[in-house]
Amino acid sequence: MEQKLKKSNFIPLLINSIKGKKNWYLLSTVIIFVTTLLIPYILKFDEEFFIMFGIVETFIIVFVNCMIDNSFLHSDAKLSYYKSKPVTLKKQIEVQIISNLVFTAFLIILLTISIVFQGLDFRIFESFKFVIPWLTVGIFLASLSSILTGNTIMAGAMTVFNFALPAIIYLIINFVFSILENIVIGFSANVLMEYFVNTIYKLEYIYFFKYVDESVDVIYVLILGCILLLITLIMNKCIKNRKNENTGNFIVFDGYKYFVSVLASLIMPAAFSFMSYRNSILNKVIVSMILAMLTYYIIIAVIEKSFRISKLSIRVFAISMAGFIALTGSTIAIANKYKNVVPNSEDVEMACVGSSSWILNRVNQSLNDDNVLDQETLLKLQRENGITLFTETENIENIAELQNELINNQSYYFDDYYYRSNIVIIYWMSDGSYLIRDYNIDGISEDNSINLKKDEIANRIITSQEFKEKQYYYLYDENYYSERNIYCNLRDARNYEMMEVKIDLGEIRDSLTNDMDILMTKKDKTFEGLLYGNYFHSFEKKDNDEGYILDIFDITDEERTIDTIYINKEFKNTIELLDLY
């Protein structure tokens, strides 16, 4: 009989909760319409900016409402009053959640009216595909955070913390990988993190960013449903185990207190590791441990309202750090087994050398359903992005040899002492997988002899016909040259306005290719040129050097710049033909 009574009281309680927000409904209507309609109309300013501002206001209004509605959990008097009602505490929290969901729907309708009334681009609604889930999840998290805490201000802080939890975990995992990249050569934190996010930890799905440019599907609904179900299950568990005598404490549950403190203590070291990439790994580890201990102490001291923290808190921190060290150590041990792996050329479909890993994503996005690049797509990809994907066995073997050299020696003497770079080697395997290595080049040694081996291997790659035809296709690829209408624009490098001459590429093609062939045979600094991806972009002109800039244009379909070459005195045939200097 009592259960039926509680059930019958649920709907009236919900209606009363919604009615109790009538002033909020009125105030929100005024705020949204004034900031998204009236102000942009008066200022004749960018209306879309004010719509974005209205979305931010919606988040703030909903957040404040959630904190006010759940504040009864943080007052003994209010909690006693609510518990005296003929409805369970669980049902009352459900009432607050549904009431705030209705209120949020009203605010979304106000924003929609404002967008439609002003005739704005409907693409603004694309942002709603993550705004609505964020607001919905935020309402649930606000209730959960209020249950976990005994203070309304702390409940607000924990709502933000819980919402950011996936991103915090991302940051900590990235911290582990950043330690790994400093210990195991050939591994990059960015590459590892990108692989981890793309294959396992799909953060863009968790935060619904994936759907900004894509239509809503079943996966979208399932993800949102699973997140809300998980929060609801945790919330129900916490309601049953909540000790109301802890009301007034910052955090009611000891387990959650330590969970927050340990994770938060790793945020500062993680942030420090990204800002201090030039320091040695030993210094990073020492400073990171100090920051972690200091952060943990401050958080525990604030939560427990005492500068003297308990022995249990110290044990929890020690065990947590031991677990973190074990996780990091095992990750390093696994990676260390693969640091010397160099694939056999017969197992490689194509390979690439450069200074950035973005090439990997660009190529993988172009692969068809069979994980293969057709010849036309391959050529287009290389020409549009200025990259060279090597498919000939000889060059793949040269790249493998270069990798072996880098495994043994990552030093290279650059003319600029402060210059630092890295070289990325990527292999796409015949079985559809890929192997990527990222080597930091220290550039510390001033011994030119360390350059010889790397320059010699790089020279073999640069002087290959495959490199020429793919990197300078407008000169060396006969099929491309014969089918396109190409011209050049010659400018004075000292003063662009002093000279501008339009030249048909055919007039200088033979002289230019002769000069480039001669210059490519020079082995000095060819490794440095290979890092840039374009050999003739690697040597910037000196301030006192008199040179010319040759812009290459393809005007077959529409005018577009396809390359730029710096012409100096070493281009003897071209200079003589054009009567320069």
Side-chain angles (χ1 to χ4, degrees):
M1 184 69 181
E2 184 184 352
Q3 194 68 24
K4 288 183 179 178
L5 181 64
K6 289 179 179 179
K7 188 174 182 180
S8 64
N9 284 336
F10 180 80
I11 299 300
L13 202 63
L14 175 59
I15 294 171
N16 286 334
S17 177
I18 294 172
K19 286 182 178 179
K21 291 181 181 292
K22 61 182 180 180
N23 290 331
W24 274 105
Y25 278 91
L26 179 61
L27 178 62
S28 301
T29 302
V30 173
I31 291 173
I32 295 295
F33 282 156
V34 166
T35 54
T36 63
L37 281 174
L38 183 59
I39 293 177
Y41 175 77
I42 294 172
L43 297 178
K44 306 297 181 184
F45 194 62
D46 185 2
E47 294 89 350
E48 292 185 2
F49 167 80
F50 284 97
I51 292 296
M52 294 300 111
F53 188 72
I55 291 174
V56 173
E57 288 176 328
T58 300
F59 275 97
I60 295 172
I61 292 169
V62 171
F63 178 78
V64 171
N65 263 269
C66 289
M67 292 299 103
I68 292 172
D69 288 348
N70 293 307
S71 63
F72 73 92
L73 291 165
H74 309 134
S75 168
D76 288 325
K78 288 182 180 179
L79 190 57
S80 298
Y81 168 73
Y82 273 83
K83 290 183 72 176
S84 68
K85 291 184 178 182
V87 179
T88 63
L89 188 63
K90 176 185 171 184
K91 292 296 180 184
Q92 292 180 62
I93 292 172
E94 288 175 359
V95 165
Q96 305 295 358
I97 291 174
I98 297 172
S99 175
N100 278 307
L101 287 173
V102 173
F103 180 58
T104 302
F106 173 76
L107 296 178
I108 294 295
I109 291 171
L110 292 181
L111 288 171
T112 302
I113 292 171
S114 182
I115 292 168
V116 173
F117 182 80
Q118 295 179 85
L120 300 179
D121 192 338
F122 278 15
R123 283 180 295 182
I124 294 176
F125 289 116
E126 296 292 323
S127 64
F128 281 27
K129 286 187 286 189
F130 72 85
V131 168
I132 292 174
W134 280 23
L135 287 166
T136 305
V137 172
I139 290 169
F140 277 72
L141 284 177
S143 294
L144 174 60
S145 301
S146 296
I147 295 167
L148 292 168
T149 58
N151 177 282
T152 302
I153 295 175
M154 182 59 76
M158 289 303 99
T159 300
V160 175
F161 179 88
N162 290 330
F163 187 86
L165 190 56
I168 293 170
I169 294 172
Y170 172 93
L171 182 66
I172 292 170
I173 294 170
N174 205 350
F175 180 35
V176 173
F177 288 151
S178 69
I179 295 172
L180 185 150
E181 79 170 354
N182 282 280
I183 296 175
V184 185
I185 62 169
F187 285 84
S188 164
N190 291 335
V191 173
L192 290 169
M193 202 65 219
E194 201 166 313
Y195 175 80
F196 184 74
V197 169
N198 289 337
T199 57
I200 302 171
Y201 194 65
K202 296 183 179 291
L203 201 63
E204 60 181 359
Y205 280 96
I206 296 173
Y207 283 109
F208 299 94
F209 289 129
K210 179 72 175 178
Y211 293 95
V212 173
D213 299 317
E214 295 183 11
S215 57
V216 173
D217 55 15
V218 177
I219 303 298
Y220 177 95
V221 178
L222 285 175
I223 293 171
L224 180 57
C226 289
I227 292 172
L228 296 180
L229 177 61
L230 177 63
I231 296 171
T232 302
L233 292 173
I234 297 172
M235 196 157 45
N236 291 339
K237 182 73 173 175
C238 292
I239 290 172
K240 291 179 182 178
N241 297 310
R242 192 176 195 269
K243 295 179 180 178
N244 295 323
E245 60 267 25
N246 289 335
T247 299
N249 294 341
F250 281 131
I251 294 180
V252 174
F253 294 87
D254 286 340
Y256 182 66
K257 173 180 68 176
Y258 293 125
F259 173 77
V260 170
S261 302
V262 170
L263 281 185
S265 70
L266 291 172
I267 294 174
M268 282 299 292
F272 166 77
S273 70
F274 301 135
M275 294 185 293
S276 59
Y277 61 94
R278 287 185 180 273
N279 296 101
S280 69
I281 182 62
L282 181 60
N283 291 338
K284 284 185 181 180
V285 169
I286 293 172
V287 173
S288 295
M289 286 301 297
I290 293 171
L291 286 173
M293 288 188 288
L294 180 62
T295 306
Y296 182 81
Y297 171 77
I298 292 172
I299 294 171
I300 289 293
V302 170
I303 293 174
E304 295 185 346
K305 302 175 184 177
S306 172
F307 287 107
R308 185 176 181 180
I309 65 174
S310 64
K311 291 181 179 180
L312 176 61
S313 298
I314 297 172
R315 283 201 299 271
V316 168
F317 178 76
I319 293 170
S320 300
M321 288 302 104
F324 178 76
I325 292 169
L327 172 65
T328 306
S330 60
T331 305
I332 291 170
I334 293 169
N336 203 51
K337 293 180 181 179
Y338 299 97
K339 71 175 183 179
N340 295 327
V341 171
V342 179
N344 295 320
S345 58
E346 57 266 23
D347 298 327
V348 178
E349 194 73 27
M350 61 183 178
C352 184
V353 181
S355 59
S356 177
S357 60
W358 64 265
I359 301 170
L360 177 65
N361 286 333
R362 196 63 58 86
V363 172
N364 287 347
Q365 288 168 5
S366 303
L367 293 172
N368 60 25
D369 295 335
D370 297 322
N371 227 27
V372 175
L373 270 176
D374 60 77
Q375 190 63 25
E376 184 178 346
T377 303
L378 182 64
L379 289 173
K380 183 180 179 183
L381 181 69
Q382 293 176 103
R383 290 167 182 172
E384 288 183 351
N385 295 282
I387 59 177
T388 304
L389 300 173
F390 297 97
T391 56
E392 293 183 1
T393 302
E394 183 180 357
N395 277 322
I396 293 173
E397 290 175 348
N398 287 332
I399 292 171
E401 186 181 349
L402 180 61
Q403 186 191 348
N404 274 316
E405 170 63 19
L406 290 166
I407 290 172
N408 297 319
N409 184 357
Q410 297 88 50
S411 296
Y412 189 85
Y413 176 64
F414 296 100
D415 291 331
D416 185 352
Y417 175 79
Y418 297 99
Y419 183 81
R420 296 290 185 275
S421 185
N422 64 311
I423 182 168
V424 177
I425 298 176
I426 310 170
Y427 304 96
W428 286 268
M429 312 303 288
S430 302
D431 62 3
S433 62
Y434 63 86
L435 177 68
I436 179 169
R437 291 293 182 266
D438 189 334
Y439 298 96
N440 289 317
I441 310 300
D442 56 42
I444 296 173
S445 175
E446 296 187 8
D447 182 8
N448 274 310
S449 63
I450 64 172
N451 294 5
L452 295 178
K453 184 63 176 177
K454 296 181 183 66
D455 283 338
E456 189 270 325
I457 299 171
N459 184 258
R460 273 187 268 144
I461 296 172
I462 285 175
T463 55
S464 68
Q465 190 62 26
E466 182 182 20
F467 177 82
K468 294 176 183 178
E469 289 184 359
K470 290 181 175 179
Q471 188 67 53
Y472 304 103
Y473 53 91
Y474 53 88
L475 288 173
Y476 292 93
D477 188 335
E478 287 294 339
N479 291 330
Y480 183 90
Y481 176 78
S482 60
E483 294 173 356
R484 314 300 290 183
N485 186 6
I486 307 170
Y487 79 92
C488 312
N489 192 42
L490 187 67
R491 296 175 287 146
D492 192 317
R494 294 167 298 176
N495 189 335
Y496 290 175
E497 298 179 358
M498 283 181 61
M499 174 183 181
E500 191 166 322
V501 180
K502 186 176 180 179
I503 306 166
D504 187 285
L505 182 62
E507 297 177 18
I508 62 170
R509 185 188 179 204
D510 291 339
S511 299
L512 191 58
T513 51
N514 287 336
D515 288 331
M516 291 173 74
D517 285 338
I518 294 169
L519 290 171
M520 284 183 187
T521 59
K522 294 184 176 182
K523 295 183 179 180
D524 184 45
K525 299 296 181 182
T526 50
F527 177 76
E528 186 176 341
L530 192 63
L531 286 178
Y532 282 84
N534 188 324
Y535 184 78
F536 293 102
H537 293 173
S538 61
F539 304 105
E540 297 182 1
K541 71 182 185 70
K542 303 291 190 297
D543 291 336
N544 59 351
D545 191 10
E546 299 177 359
Y548 299 87
I549 294 174
L550 190 68
D551 297 313
I552 317 292
F553 295 91
D554 186 336
I555 59 172
T556 307
D557 302 316
E558 58 180 357
E559 184 175 303
R560 62 187 181 89
T561 304
I562 55 178
D563 204 359
T564 299
I565 296 176
Y566 174 63
I567 304 292
N568 57 21
K569 291 180 180 179
E570 293 183 307
F571 286 77
K572 294 180 180 179
N573 294 295
T574 306
I575 289 170
E576 183 179 347
L577 178 68
L578 296 174
D579 193 22
L580 301 174
Y581 285 97

